[in-house]
Amino acid sequence: MNICFEQLSKQYKTGRGVVDALRAFDLTIGDGQLFIILGPSGCGKSTLLNLAAGLEEPSAGTIRFGERVVASAEEHIFLEPGERNVAMVFQSYALYPHMKVFDNIAFPLRNARRKAHEIRLSVQRTAAMLGIDDLLARKPAELSGGQRQRVAIARAMVRQPSVLLLDEPLSNLDAQLRMATRAELKRLQMEMAVTTLYVTHDQTEAMTLGDQVALLKKGRLVQAGTPYALYHHPATPFAATFIGSPPMNLIPARLATSATEYYAWVNDRKIALSAELKAKAASLPTGRILLGIRPEHLRFTDQGQLEGVITYTESLGREIVYRVACAGHEVLVLADHPARETGRSVALAFDSAAVHLFPATEPADDPPDKPPLHGRPPRHG
Ligand SMILES: Nc1ncnc2c1ncn2[C@@H]1O[C@H](COP(=O)(O)OP(=O)(O)OP(=O)(O)O)[C@@H](O)[C@H]1O
Ligand SMILES: [Mg+2]
């Protein structure tokens, strides 16, 4: 079942004024997709999930599950969580401590008054999928953090929901267990083909796990697309620096044109732009811009387009991050050269195809055409 958010907004009224947690948010999630909701703390990820689950009502806009409108501020429609067939694993999930693992997982099925033998089969099948079928007789206190997390996921999946909502479900796990559970979760999600929204603030997790990624900032959708598209064609400086580690360099430059060509000037260095960038360059006003180059696309050479001095090095194991003072700006270089020491003058080269162009300022977070706040709609259904 696909999910459609249309012009969705959520405002919280607090003692100190109104918080725009989500602003005119548009997104469609395809049937069976694993869609990642990515963004920094406070950008509205949990708000979006709570709206999809029916735990919050939108201030404006519409949510559709397939053809069915499950919430609409304008049409005064609001379906309760129980009417949506969604399952959610919360950011701070909790298991029932006095219940065995089996009973924790069986809980939603007992609530739905399923037959005992059917419950036993469903719990065993889901537990086996998550590799916790040998733990069914234990209490949560007798489990590791990772095992508990899997019980919470099993409890959400056991009902075979049509929509699965996961809010940072792996955040309590150590790095190794997170990677293993992530791979399992992906396999499970594909097997069940359940439309899934997965919230994370971790861009690596987003890139490795998602079919599609939606990047949010301050309640707004910045960009949605495949991990490949977000990495190779970031729409804004924010997207460029949020995705990829270490982050993309954004070097202040001046855009200039001649009759036939576009250039960027970094101080007195003239940098020719590739043919592919001409359409992008033509859409920017000449003058101040940002030149984006990923650290992994810079290399040390004898004669490069940029020059600088290494100020700091940081080992990542296989690779090294170099900080290079370059034209009054710090530039990061990712390389596997171990033999370049701090204080040394270096030249940096890059392919013009690896260059991104951005306007010098990020698009405004809060444009003046903000939709009005709607009152609390009366409940239906
Ligand atoms: N009940 C509430 N009342 C007032 N403000 C709220 C409420 N819930 C969330 N907010 C505010 O709305 C914004 C979005 O919050 P949300 O919880 O959706 O962020 P998030 O992206 O999930 O962040 P995190 O990664 O830290 O979990 C924040 O500024 C938050 O302070
Ligand atoms: Mg959250």
Side-chain angles (χ1 to χ4, degrees):
M1 189 168 64
N2 66 339
I3 304 175
C4 199
F5 301 108
E6 286 166 20
Q7 290 292 298
L8 195 66
S9 295
K10 180 65 186 177
Q11 300 179 325
Y12 291 108
K13 291 192 190 115
T14 68
R16 269 177 277 152
V18 172
V19 179
D20 284 296
L22 210 60
R23 314 181 209 211
F25 185 87
D26 282 316
L27 190 68
T28 299
I29 289 108
D31 184 29
Q33 255 176 1
L34 175 53
F35 215 113
I36 309 289
I37 308 297
L38 174 68
S41 184
C43 71
K45 305 181 296 295
S46 295
T47 300
L48 181 70
L49 247 56
N50 291 339
L51 287 165
L55 302 172
E56 299 277 2
E57 297 183 28
S59 309
T62 302
I63 306 172
R64 256 177 252 279
F65 284 4
E67 295 299 306
R68 192 161 69 128
V69 175
V70 296
S72 166
E74 290 74 15
E75 293 175 53
H76 303 296
I77 295 170
F78 183 81
L79 266 59
E80 297 291 338
E83 300 169 293
R84 298 190 187 193
N85 195 21
V86 294
M88 184 154 168
V89 175
F90 290 92
Q91 197 163 358
S92 50
Y93 70 92
L95 302 174
Y96 302 108
H98 58 286
M99 286 186 193
K100 288 180 181 159
V101 167
F102 183 96
D103 299 308
N104 263 286
I105 300 174
F107 190 81
L109 299 176
R110 292 206 171 114
N111 255 356
R113 304 200 181 287
R114 300 278 179 81
K115 295 203 177 74
H117 72 276
E118 193 191 323
I119 292 177
R120 199 173 326 110
L121 278 178
S122 300
V123 171
Q124 272 160 357
R125 195 188 51 227
T126 311
M129 280 167 112
L130 281 153
I132 49 171
D133 42 339
D134 52 343
L135 306 175
L136 291 172
R138 293 204 204 168
K139 296 262 178 74
E142 299 162 339
L143 304 177
S144 74
Q147 290 167 336
R148 269 180 235 163
Q149 199 118 31
R150 282 189 237 181
V151 175
I153 294 168
R155 188 174 58 183
M157 284 182 147
V158 74
R159 242 172 358 110
Q160 304 206 308
S162 36
V163 173
L164 185 61
L165 306 171
L166 304 170
D167 197 349
E168 311 239 13
L170 309 183
S171 54
N172 297 339
L173 306 185
D174 66 46
Q176 214 163 9
L177 197 54
R178 192 156 64 218
M179 212 155 119
T181 313
R182 194 154 73 201
E184 247 165 47
L185 202 64
K186 175 145 188 156
R187 184 179 52 74
L188 199 64
Q189 191 274 341
M190 281 170 72
E191 239 172 74
M192 292 181 64
V194 53
T195 310
T196 304
L197 280 176
Y198 183 107
V199 162
T200 180
H201 62 267
D202 177 349
Q203 60 93 24
T204 311
E205 188 156 292
M207 301 305 267
T208 50
L209 192 59
D211 302 324
Q212 297 275 324
V213 178
L215 178 63
L216 275 70
K217 183 192 174 193
K218 295 187 181 167
R220 265 185 206 290
L221 179 66
V222 174
Q223 190 173 3
T226 60
Y228 182 93
L230 265 69
Y231 176 86
H232 289 281
H233 307 289
T236 71
F238 173 76
T241 49
F242 198 83
I243 287 163
S245 176
M248 185 187 284
N249 296 297
L250 294 176
I251 304 165
R254 273 179 308 115
L255 186 64
T257 60
S258 71
T260 51
E261 277 166 308
Y262 286 92
Y263 299 100
W265 291 92
V266 176
N267 289 356
D268 56 349
R269 284 284 179 150
K270 186 176 179 180
I271 292 166
L273 300 179
S274 71
E276 298 88 76
L277 279 177
K278 282 187 183 147
K280 175 77 190 176
S283 74
L284 296 172
T286 51
R288 278 181 350 108
I289 57 156
L290 294 171
L291 205 65
I293 310 172
R294 293 205 180 272
E296 54 271 40
H297 296 150
L298 284 166
R299 56 185 185 275
F300 295 112
T301 59
D302 298 328
Q303 279 244 305
Q305 296 104 310
L306 296 170
E307 281 166 1
V309 175
I310 296 176
T311 57
Y312 190 72
T313 64
E314 206 172 50
S315 174
L316 301 180
R318 189 165 59 94
E319 288 152 319
I320 294 174
V321 182
Y322 293 87
R323 292 176 185 271
V324 181
C326 202
H329 197 78
E330 183 174 73
V331 172
L332 301 180
V333 180
L334 188 68
D336 50 10
H337 264 277
R340 294 183 194 263
E341 63 286 354
T342 306
R344 182 157 151 183
S345 292
V346 289
L348 298 171
F350 51 89
D351 294 337
S352 58
V355 171
H356 301 257
L357 296 184
F358 299 102
T361 50
E362 186 83 15
D365 291 321
D366 202 4
D369 62 339
K370 203 165 90 176
L373 177 66
H374 281 263
R376 186 188 164 89
R379 297 191 170 204
H380 279 242

